Amino acid sequence: MSVRPAAATVSSPEEDEALMAEALAVGRLGLGRTWPNPSVGALVVRPTSGGPQILGRAGTAPAGRPHAEPLALAQAGDAARGATLYVTLEPCSHYGRTPPCADAVIASGVTRVIAAIEDPDPRVRGRGVARMRAAGLWVTVGVGAEQALLDHAGHISRVTRARPHVLLKMAVSGDGKIGRTGPQRVQITGPEANERVHVMRSVADVILVGIGTVMADDPLLTCRLPGVTGRSPVRVVLDSDLHMPLESRLVRTTSEVPLWVMCAEDAPAGREAALVSLGVEVYRVPRGASGHVDLKAALHVLGLLGVTRVMAEGGSRLAAALLDASLVDEVAVFQDPVMLGADAIDALHGQPLSRLISPVGFESVERQQLGPQQLLRMLRR
């Protein structure tokens, strides 16, 4: 009969939930900056008569290392002995560029570990938990699991499906349009919605658009909200035949924010050389049945490059193609009551608006009014 460590009864379920919520909040601060590794949050906590005392608090460092657990344990130092570690993802158990975090946890002297979820990475998948339990630590898994599954959706997708988690974001008018044809641009979202869009960009690994959006809008696709201007994700353009204008704002700013272009295997070599000479990274993938870059192959390549979270921002053809291929995991629609008219561009090329705002297999997780626009966010279930 095993004996439970005394530390196993020092906190209530409510305290565990609250402390895990704080660890999750710490982990979210690193979203978009730690790939290819997940953005984990960790707290080292000791109970006191005045309530829990946080001895160490850390998230995964930029670029994915050091991991959150050794950083939090280092802050706690010798005071970690007998304490509890709250961590949003099972500590790793394999040797990569850093030693296993499970070993660091064992060596630290903590007696209790609360993990939100197990790591589905085949190199871990319960082995970290088993190693810590074998060393005599009291390990609990499942506290804060629902939020952790959302926060780590990108990592989970990459290690289980070999592609990133895909968020499709679109701004549409009341009659289901995204803009007008010709040079006249239409701004559908207002300041409040734009602020939310830039926050969403700041936690993505890459922003994905089609070449049609580049040709029509000449976008920057950067974070321009005060406080997150330094967190612009990699810009990725699907451009089957390398029509990317060399004078576009995306190309001109590639030294400031990376630009990747994904083209077909038979795209012109001269165009690739011109883009590469300006600092653009070009990746070739097979063509799909449509004649354009195969979306599944493109996302697989992004996964191989370490990308975990993709924010697709259009246009209408790319959005429709992603939905048709069942490659969308999350949808965020900003809808304005303004009507653009029958001649404007449909939100989804060749498909009804219902395909976007009530897709089969998704459930609504958020409705929020942002000025005149309403945000509807849905997750695949």
Side-chain angles (χ1 to χ4, degrees), residues 15-336:
E15 286 175 329
D16 285 344
E17 291 282 355
L19 289 163
M20 182 60 76
E22 184 163 352
L24 287 161
V26 171
R28 282 195 294 276
L29 294 174
L31 288 176
R33 298 197 295 170
T34 67
W35 59 281
N37 289 339
S39 184
V40 176
L43 302 180
V44 181
V45 181
R46 179 183 296 281
T48 70
S49 58
Q53 177 187 9
I54 297 177
L55 307 171
R57 176 193 287 109
T60 305
R65 66 185 70 84
H67 294 181
E69 301 95 318
L71 289 173
L73 290 167
Q75 289 180 21
D78 289 340
R81 296 196 172 277
T84 297
L85 172 69
Y86 293 83
V87 61
T88 64
L89 185 69
E90 174 187 8
C92 63
S93 58
H94 65 286
Y95 279 88
R97 296 189 180 180
T98 57
C101 288
D103 289 355
V105 173
I106 294 167
S108 72
V110 300
T111 55
R112 185 174 180 237
V113 176
I114 310 294
I117 56 175
E118 288 189 353
D119 189 343
D121 188 326
R123 298 170 298 176
V124 185
R125 206 156 51 189
R127 294 181 180 87
V129 168
R131 183 176 297 192
M132 292 184 294
R133 284 175 174 162
L137 278 66
W138 179 261
V139 183
T140 301
V141 179
V143 177
E146 185 174 1
Q147 185 61 51
L149 289 170
L150 296 176
D151 294 351
H152 294 304
H155 169 68
I156 293 168
S157 181
R158 191 174 80 88
V159 300
T160 61
R161 299 185 295 184
R163 70 162 177 85
H165 175 91
V166 176
L167 160 65
L168 174 62
K169 167 263 166 184
M170 299 200 78
V172 303
S173 66
D175 52 353
K177 310 294 183 177
I178 60 170
R180 294 193 175 99
T181 57
Q184 183 182 8
R185 294 191 61 187
V186 177
Q187 183 70 38
I188 294 177
T189 51
E192 296 93 338
N194 284 336
E195 180 174 328
R196 181 65 183 270
V197 169
H198 284 275
V199 169
M200 292 165 65
R201 284 181 178 178
S202 73
V203 296
D205 299 347
V206 307
I207 301 295
L208 178 69
V209 298
I211 186 61
T213 295
V214 176
M215 303 295 281
D217 299 337
D218 192 22
L220 272 174
L221 304 177
T222 54
C223 294
R224 299 184 294 279
L225 183 71
V228 296
T229 53
R231 296 189 57 162
S232 294
V234 174
R235 289 88 54 88
V236 178
V237 178
L238 299 180
D239 181 10
S240 302
D241 298 297
L242 291 180
H243 294 307
M244 171 70 69
L246 301 182
E247 69 281 3
S248 67
R249 294 201 294 172
L250 286 172
V251 174
R252 294 203 312 268
T253 58
T254 192
S255 62
E256 303 165 26
V257 181
L259 172 62
W260 298 353
V261 173
M262 308 192 81
C263 66
E265 293 171 325
D266 58 350
R271 292 290 299 174
E272 177 181 358
L275 288 167
V276 170
S277 71
L278 295 173
V280 180
E281 294 187 36
V282 177
Y283 297 93
R284 293 179 178 266
V285 297
R287 289 186 188 270
S290 66
H292 301 295
V293 165
D294 183 274
L295 292 176
K296 187 174 182 180
L299 290 173
H300 179 65
V301 169
L302 289 177
L304 291 174
L305 292 168
V307 173
T308 67
R309 298 166 63 88
V310 168
M311 181 174 171
E313 294 205 37
S316 64
R317 292 180 183 272
L318 174 60
L322 285 168
L323 284 167
D324 283 346
S326 296
L327 293 172
V328 176
D329 305 299
E330 183 176 354
V331 178
V333 180
F334 296 84
Q335 191 162 19
D336 189 279

